[in-house]
Amino acid sequence: MKVEEIYRRDLNLLVALQVLVEERSVSRAAERLSLSQSAMSRVLGRLRSLLSDPLFTRQGQHLVPTEKALSINKALDEPIGSLRQLLSPIEFDPKSCDQTFTIVTTDYAMQTILPFALPRIYQEAPNVAFEFLPLQDEHLKEQLTYGRADLAICRPIYSIDCLQYGELGRVGVSCLVSKHHPLADKQMCLEDYLHFPHAMIAISDGVKSLIEQALEGHPKRRMVLRAYHLEAALAIVDTMPLIITVPADLAYLVSERYDLTVKPLPFHFTPFDYSMIWHPRCDHSPAQEWLRSIVKEECSKLIAKRVIDMGLDADTTALPK
């Protein structure tokens, strides 16, 4: 029998057959299926027509199933059991999850956000695995729609109308200079910022445009390096009077590790929202709902704490006085 022929049959009748075999009574079967007794009798008639067999004979107050009814009932155990399991709510157990999650993100998130969420993730789900891919701003939709990515962590700069998202928190921007930089021991003014050569580490391409908007009407900076990874800028930070523009919390982490000096931006700059983004196909996946809840909770908490620790308010980025 072809699939489309099965589609035209009322498969609910087979469920009714199982209930009739179990109850051996039209009235009790009707009660279980929330039908009237007359409606249940009509169901039995349709079953007999569908299966070309009387299916039951009456013995006193009870129905006695025929051999065909018993044979079909036995054959239905496995498929109906599978359907019951398929249609039942899925109980997600992180400890038994062995899924590999693919996340597209920026170097910033890889260094300063995700490492603080991973310990809790692996504590709850020790068998999961991760693959991190570089964010492609212009192709974010494609990465999440047609690619292998389950989640993106970034500041989106193109339309994400067809995607779902949740905000993680606000991120500010600061500058890093070498201890030997002419500005290392003095306050940096706007003229200084525009005069010295620059390197910018990509959070997303949108951050560069935000800074350019804030500097509209001023001379353009001399950008000698723009890179995805911070290491490229660190390789030349001692060879020229370079100003490296990075997210504020990354600036503090890197300054301690590489003995650099952190400088606030010498102009008004509004912190921007960092988000996690996913395709609607992942919306109701229990595993991915669990992952997003952990990322949201841990990363939002971390970003908020850093804003307070660094003295950043909601409107501007600056070092604590």
Side-chain angles (χ1 to χ4, degrees), residues 16 19-32 37 40 44 56 58 61-64:
V19 175
L20 281 164
V21 170
E22 291 173 8
E23 297 296 340
R24 311 291 173 98
S25 164
V26 171
S27 59
R28 288 200 298 271
E31 186 178 349
R32 277 184 59 181
Q37 188 163 339
M40 193 71 223
L44 178 54
F56 298 92
R58 182 167 294 282
Q61 297 296 317
H62 302 287
L63 296 178
V64 178

Side-chain angles (χ1 to χ4, degrees), residues 21 169 180 192 200 238-239 252 296:
V21 170
H180 309 294
D192 295 327
M200 187 157 187
D238 285 323
T239 64
Y252 279 85
K296 169 71 175 173

Side-chain angles (χ1 to χ4, degrees), residues 141-319:
K141 280 186 182 180
E142 287 79 2
Q143 285 184 291
L144 292 171
T145 304
Y146 306 112
R148 296 176 294 127
D150 302 303
L151 188 67
I153 298 177
C154 62
R155 173 187 178 266
I157 61 173
Y158 295 96
S159 170
I160 56 170
D161 288 346
C162 64
L163 303 173
Q164 306 285 78
Y165 75 96
E167 292 180 359
L168 295 176
R170 311 205 82 192
V171 176
V173 173
S174 292
C175 299
L176 286 169
V177 297
S178 162
K179 294 285 188 183
H180 309 294
H181 195 286
L183 299 175
D185 297 319
K186 60 175 283 192
Q187 184 174 349
M188 179 171 63
C189 66
L190 178 58
E191 185 179 342
D192 295 327
Y193 185 81
L194 297 172
H195 171 72
F196 288 100
H198 282 264
M200 187 157 187
I201 308 307
I203 312 167
S204 73
D205 286 339
V207 177
K208 181 174 181 288
S209 66
L210 287 175
I211 291 178
E212 288 173 350
Q213 288 173 24
L215 292 173
E216 190 174 359
H218 295 282
K220 286 195 172 184
R221 296 171 295 160
R222 183 161 71 92
M223 190 69 63
V224 298
L225 178 69
R226 177 161 171 74
Y228 178 74
H229 293 291
L230 181 61
E231 283 72 14
L234 293 176
I236 60 172
V237 71
D238 285 323
T239 64
M240 65 171 65
L242 194 67
I243 296 174
I244 307 173
T245 304
V246 293
D249 45 357
L250 178 58
Y252 279 85
L253 291 175
V254 170
S255 67
E256 294 178 0
R257 191 180 307 162
Y258 294 95
D259 196 27
L260 302 175
T261 299
V262 180
K263 296 286 181 182
L265 290 176
F267 54 88
H268 177 84
F269 181 84
T270 301
F272 52 89
D273 291 317
Y274 225 65
S275 304
M276 57 179 178
I277 306 158
W278 64 94
H279 192 272
R281 65 180 165 78
C282 302
D283 221 13
H284 301 294
S285 162
Q288 300 211 32
E289 285 182 329
W290 165 81
L291 175 65
R292 291 195 300 268
S293 70
I294 299 256
V295 171
K296 169 71 175 173
E297 185 175 337
E298 294 299 314
C299 295
S300 298
K301 184 168 56 180
L302 177 70
I303 290 174
K305 181 178 184 300
R306 286 175 176 171
V307 167
I308 294 172
D309 289 348
M310 291 186 294
L312 303 179
D313 60 29
D315 296 320
T316 186
T317 56
L319 285 174

Side-chain angles (χ1 to χ4, degrees), residues 12-125:
N12 282 336
L13 293 174
L14 298 178
V15 178
L17 175 63
Q18 277 215 323
V19 175
L20 281 164
V21 170
E22 291 173 8
E23 297 296 340
R24 311 291 173 98
S25 164
V26 171
S27 59
R28 288 200 298 271
E31 186 178 349
R32 277 184 59 181
L33 296 176
S34 300
L35 297 173
S36 67
Q37 188 163 339
S38 59
M40 193 71 223
S41 296
R42 289 194 295 271
V43 167
L44 178 54
R46 291 165 63 195
L47 271 167
R48 285 169 169 159
S49 175
L50 174 68
L51 300 173
S52 303
D53 189 86
L55 300 175
F56 298 92
T57 59
R58 182 167 294 282
Q59 184 174 336
Q61 297 296 317
H62 302 287
L63 296 178
V64 178
T66 64
E67 288 298 318
K68 185 166 185 177
L70 291 173
S71 174
I72 293 174
N73 180 65
K74 184 176 181 181
L76 287 172
D77 281 342
E78 185 175 341
I80 288 183
S82 297
L83 282 172
R84 184 184 290 121
Q85 184 175 2
L86 180 66
L87 297 173
S88 297
I90 299 173
E91 294 290 335
F92 177 67
D93 178 16
K95 291 196 180 302
S96 62
C97 180
D98 59 0
Q99 186 169 333
T100 296
F101 297 100
T102 301
I103 298 179
V104 295
T105 190
T106 60
D107 191 44
Y108 160 67
M110 279 295 302
Q111 291 194 55
T112 65
I113 296 179
L114 284 167
F116 294 88
L118 288 175
R120 180 178 164 191
I121 289 172
Y122 281 110
Q123 181 180 16
E124 293 190 16

